Amino acid sequence: QVQLVESGGGLAQPGGSLRLSCVASGSMFGFYTMGWYRQAPGKQRELVATITSPGNTNYADSVKGRFTISRDNAKKTVYLQMNSLKPEDTAVYYCNANGLVAFWGQGTQVTVSS
């Protein structure tokens, strides 16, 4: 069992930055592919970015060049650095741990508005 706790969401202005963190419990963190997903009101949950255990990354086209996913296996933490934020980035952001079973955090709200 893995528990994921996200933090770092909030209100940002267009063009601003936020950094999300997700801390995992359990001893198998280093083996999981970690990811960030988001869900805007009235829309389906979508992939934002993933990072494998060795550190290979994958991004949605909509965030390439603006968002950076990283992980610290010693701290059992995955990060999402979000720069050049746009109003369309507004959503609840969820942390995901994907192994034989997928685990989800409770989500953190990100609102981009002037």
Side-chain angles (χ1 to χ4, degrees):
Q1 190 76 10
V2 175
Q3 291 186 330
L4 304 171
V5 179
E6 302 103 332
S7 62
L11 176 65
Q13 291 189 338
S17 298
L18 285 173
R19 188 194 196 201
L20 305 184
S21 299
C22 171
V23 180
S25 65
S27 59
M28 302 296 288
F29 177 83
F31 294 95
Y32 287 98
T33 291
M34 301 298 298
W36 288 97
Y37 291 73
R38 67 187 181 186
Q39 187 166 17
K43 294 187 177 181
Q44 290 188 331
R45 191 173 298 190
E46 63 177 5
L47 169 73
V48 176
T50 60
I51 184 167
T52 65
S53 179
N56 298 311
T57 57
N58 179 55
Y59 296 93
D61 287 343
S62 59
V63 306
K64 281 181 181 177
R66 300 189 298 120
F67 290 10
T68 302
I69 189 171
S70 61
R71 66 190 293 164
D72 184 331
N73 289 338
K75 294 183 178 179
K76 298 180 184 179
T77 302
V78 61
Y79 305 96
L80 185 68
Q81 178 66 45
M82 304 186 294
N83 298 328
S84 302
L85 283 163
K86 303 176 180 180
E88 51 263 43
D89 294 319
T90 296
V92 178
Y93 283 70
Y94 295 92
C95 180
N96 168 267
N98 194 26
L100 293 178
V101 181
F103 299 93
W104 294 91
Q106 81 288 350
T108 186
Q109 176 70 45
V110 171
T111 302
V112 183
S113 175
S114 55

